[in-house]
């Protein structure tokens, strides 16, 4: 309660001088009237301290000069009404002169102290506002990744905190040279003044452009307290932004180097293996001692290795387009059922595919060619690890999603590998023991094409119990027409 009263009495703003004079006169009249009954109890000279209380309250509320005026008026009223002889401005007893002089000095000191307290309160309020402003500017300039995008909000917050005319802006680059050239030496000299902002090393950062010249006291606060904080925060924010850009560029270069290294590794091994097999088979085909069966076998090997090489090149090209952002989909309403049919027809698997697709499956809006490439890679992966077991393909609509599941009965994937198998050039361990660990491209292409079409893909597996790859595609307001009739389960040789 006491602190609230002190804050009210020493508030930053004060009433008008006319109100203060009226309040002082009223305080003198009331105090003079209160002293009359007290004279029956205590000597008249001792009642002067009551005037001192009125002077202190008036000086605290209305300022030094109103307080001094109230002190003089109180002394005159005290002399006229209560110090003998009353009714005249004379003092008969020398002791009363001393009491009156002490009263005037005490009143003046009380008024001065009240004004000092008010000034300190005003300064404390200003300092608190400036501290709040600095904290808000730090949040705006350091809280985001784009400093320039935060400048309008920072300028608006600064304008409100300092009671400046609306329209102030914080400008970088071009304004820095103009503001630091010495052209604007005083804010009050310009219709649209600029205040230069400098970094810690003295180099120009920019300028604070005001809509109109501020008052003299605001000009001083801007130059001495606000601008240094703004310069420090702006310099830190720009340095941090530059460091972030350098980190991003370094990470991009590092990823590029990793990609180049992995690509060279793939070229040196995965491309060389089919080329070597083709070259060897081609040389053997020229031998006159070959039987027709051996010649057919070598020709089949050449064809198979060429197809393997073609698929690897296709994956490399797909991944390159995805990495370079050149694989933008061309969406249209497509039947996932038909896309799966094409992918199955293009994927050889001795044990075949067991297909179960819900009838009247909704259409999805996607790039059919990209989905076909993604499903073909998933089917090829499942066929490789499924061994002698057929690969199950399931598709159904669930709410606003279309779920496609491709299930193999292979050795499965360890939990720590479930996410990594989608990384480019990541090769899972040789769990089958046949020496083939894949190129590390197919599943990365799958994720790229599925996510490009607004979907997502993930793997579910337990070691020794096979793997399920799930593709989720969003459903929209598709046309009324449906895809082809659902595929019936197929057996080996599909």
């Amino acid at each position: 309660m006491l602190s609230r009263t002190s804050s009210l009495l020493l508030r930053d703003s004060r009433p008008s001088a006319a109100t203060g004079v009226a309040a002082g006169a009223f305080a003198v009249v009331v105090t003079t009237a209160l002293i009359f009954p007290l004279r029956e109890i205590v000597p008249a000279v001792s009642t002067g301290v009551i005037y001192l209380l009125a002077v202190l309250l008036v000086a605290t509320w209305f300022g030094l000069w109103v307080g001094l005026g109230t002190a003089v008026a109180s002394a005159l009223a005290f002399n006229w009404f209560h110090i003998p002889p009353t009714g005249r401005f004379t003092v008969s007893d020398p002791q009363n002169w001393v009491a009156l002089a002490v009263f005037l000095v005490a009143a003046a000191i009380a008024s001065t102290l009240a004004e000092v307290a008010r000034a300190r309160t005003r300064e404390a309020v200003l300092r608190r506002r400036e501290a709040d402003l600095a904290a808000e500017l730090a949040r705006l300039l350091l809280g985001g990744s784009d400093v320039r995008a935060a400048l309008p909000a920072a300028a608006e917050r600064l304008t409100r905190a300092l009671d400046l005319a609306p329209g102030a802006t914080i400008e970088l680059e071009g304004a820095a040279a103009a503001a630091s050239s010495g052209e604007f030496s005083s804010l009050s000299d310009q219709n649209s003044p600029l205040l230069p902002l400098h970094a810690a090393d003295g180099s120009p950062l920019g300028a604070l452009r005001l809509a109109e010249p501020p008052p003299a006291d605001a000009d001083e606060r801007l130059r001495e307290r606000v601008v240094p904080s703004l310069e420090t925060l702006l310099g830190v924010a720009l340095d941090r932004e530059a460091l972030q850009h350098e980190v991003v560029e370094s990470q991009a270069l590092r990823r590029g180097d990793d990609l180049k290294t992995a690509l060279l590794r793939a070229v040196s091994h995965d491309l060389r293996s089919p080329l070597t097999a083709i070259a060897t088979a081609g040389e053997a085909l020229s031998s006159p001692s070959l039987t027709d069966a051996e010649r057919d076998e070598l020709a089949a090997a050449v064809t198979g290795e060429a197809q393997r090489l073609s698929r690897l090149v296709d994956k490399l090209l797909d991944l390159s387009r995805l990495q370079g952002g050149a694989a933008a989909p061309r969406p249209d309403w497509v039947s996932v059922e038909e896309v799966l049919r094409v992918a199955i027809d293009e994927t050889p698997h001795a044990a075949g595919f067991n297909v179960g697709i819900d009838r009247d499956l909704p259409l999805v809006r996607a790039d059919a060619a990209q989905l076909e490439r993604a499903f073909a890679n998933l089917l090829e992966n499942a066929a490789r690890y499924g061994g002698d077991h057929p690969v199950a393909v399931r598709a159904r609509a669930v709410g606003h999603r279309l779920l496609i599941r491709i299930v193999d009965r292979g050795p499965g994937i360890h939990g720590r590998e479930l996410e990594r198998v989608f990384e480019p050039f990541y090769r899972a361990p040789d769990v089958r023991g046949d020496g083939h660990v894949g190129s590390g491209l197919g599943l990365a292409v799958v994720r790229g094409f599925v996510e490009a079409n607004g979907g997502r893909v993930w793997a579910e597996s337990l070691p020794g119990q096979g793997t399920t790859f799930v593709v989720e595609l969003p459903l929209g307001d598709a046309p009324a027409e449906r895809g082809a009739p659902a595929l019936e389960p197929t057996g080996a040789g599909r």
Side-chain angles (χ1 to χ4, degrees), residues 459-484:
E460 301 171 352
S461 179
L462 290 175
Q465 299 184 27
T467 303
T468 299
F469 286 93
V470 186
V471 176
E472 178 186 277
L473 297 173
L475 292 177
D477 296 329
E481 60 195 70
R482 299 294 185 183

Side-chain angles (χ1 to χ4, degrees), residues 165-182:
T169 58
I170 300 174
E171 304 173 1
L172 299 180
E173 295 148 351
S180 61
S181 62

Side-chain angles (χ1 to χ4, degrees), residues 16-364:
S16 63
T19 304
V21 172
F26 178 76
V28 171
V29 171
V30 171
T31 305
T32 301
L34 289 175
I35 290 177
F36 277 106
L38 294 177
R39 287 168 51 181
E40 304 295 331
I41 305 173
V42 295
V45 175
S46 302
T47 59
V49 70
I50 301 177
Y51 282 108
L52 188 60
L53 178 61
V55 170
L56 182 60
L57 290 175
V58 171
T60 302
W61 188 279
F62 297 98
L64 175 62
W65 295 109
V66 177
L68 290 177
T70 304
V72 173
S74 298
L76 294 176
F78 190 32
N79 187 2
W80 181 272
F81 291 104
H82 300 296
I83 295 181
T86 59
R88 291 180 295 173
F89 291 111
T90 58
V91 179
S92 59
D93 190 345
Q95 293 182 357
N96 293 337
W97 279 110
V98 174
L100 186 60
V102 170
F103 168 78
L104 282 173
V105 172
I109 293 175
S111 299
T112 303
L113 291 177
E115 182 64 19
V116 171
R118 178 186 295 277
R120 290 185 176 179
T121 300
R122 185 185 305 112
E123 182 68 17
V125 170
L126 292 177
R127 293 287 188 179
R128 186 191 64 193
R129 291 178 180 174
E130 292 165 3
D132 293 342
L133 174 61
E136 184 68 12
L137 291 177
R139 184 187 67 81
L140 292 171
L141 296 176
L142 302 178
S145 58
D146 189 351
V147 177
R148 286 162 181 78
L151 292 181
E156 193 273 337
R157 180 67 180 85
L158 188 148
T159 299
R160 287 191 288 108
L162 300 180
D163 297 325
L164 302 175
T169 58
I170 300 174
E171 304 173 1
L172 299 180
E173 295 148 351
S180 61
S181 62
E183 179 182 354
F184 303 110
S185 57
S186 174
L187 286 176
S188 59
D189 294 339
Q190 305 298 325
N191 292 328
S192 183
L194 283 177
L195 192 63
L197 303 174
H198 297 93
D201 59 359
S203 60
L205 287 175
L208 173 63
R209 184 186 295 274
L210 304 181
E212 60 184 44
D217 57 341
D219 188 347
E220 182 179 358
R221 289 175 61 198
L222 275 171
R223 291 182 178 278
E224 294 184 0
R225 297 201 290 265
V226 176
V227 166
S229 298
L230 179 59
E231 288 175 330
T232 301
L233 291 173
L234 192 57
V236 171
L238 291 174
D239 290 342
R240 190 196 65 167
E241 186 178 63
L243 288 175
Q244 287 178 337
H245 287 318
E246 291 179 3
V247 170
V248 170
E249 291 176 358
S250 299
Q251 291 177 344
L253 290 174
R254 186 162 54 250
R255 286 196 299 268
D257 290 339
D258 294 341
L259 184 61
K260 291 177 182 178
T261 302
L263 181 59
L264 289 175
R265 186 182 301 117
V267 170
S268 63
H269 179 269
D270 296 310
L271 293 181
R272 182 178 298 173
S273 296
L275 286 175
T276 302
I278 291 172
T280 303
E283 291 178 359
L285 282 172
S286 62
S287 174
S289 61
L290 289 177
T291 65
D292 291 340
E294 292 173 336
R295 197 176 302 275
D296 291 341
E297 184 180 352
L298 288 174
V302 170
T303 303
E305 292 297 328
Q307 291 175 348
R308 175 186 168 190
L309 182 60
S310 177
R311 289 195 298 269
L312 182 58
V313 171
D314 288 341
K315 292 176 183 178
L316 284 171
L317 293 177
D318 289 340
L319 184 63
S320 176
R321 287 194 294 268
L322 288 168
Q323 295 281 352
R330 298 178 179 178
D332 196 1
W333 292 109
V334 299
S335 168
V336 170
E337 185 176 336
E338 295 178 356
V339 173
L340 283 170
R341 185 194 302 273
V342 174
I344 290 172
D345 289 340
E346 294 181 354
T347 306
H349 182 35
F353 297 93
N354 185 355
V355 181
I357 298 177
D358 285 359
R359 294 186 179 276
D360 297 328
L361 202 64
L363 302 180
V364 297

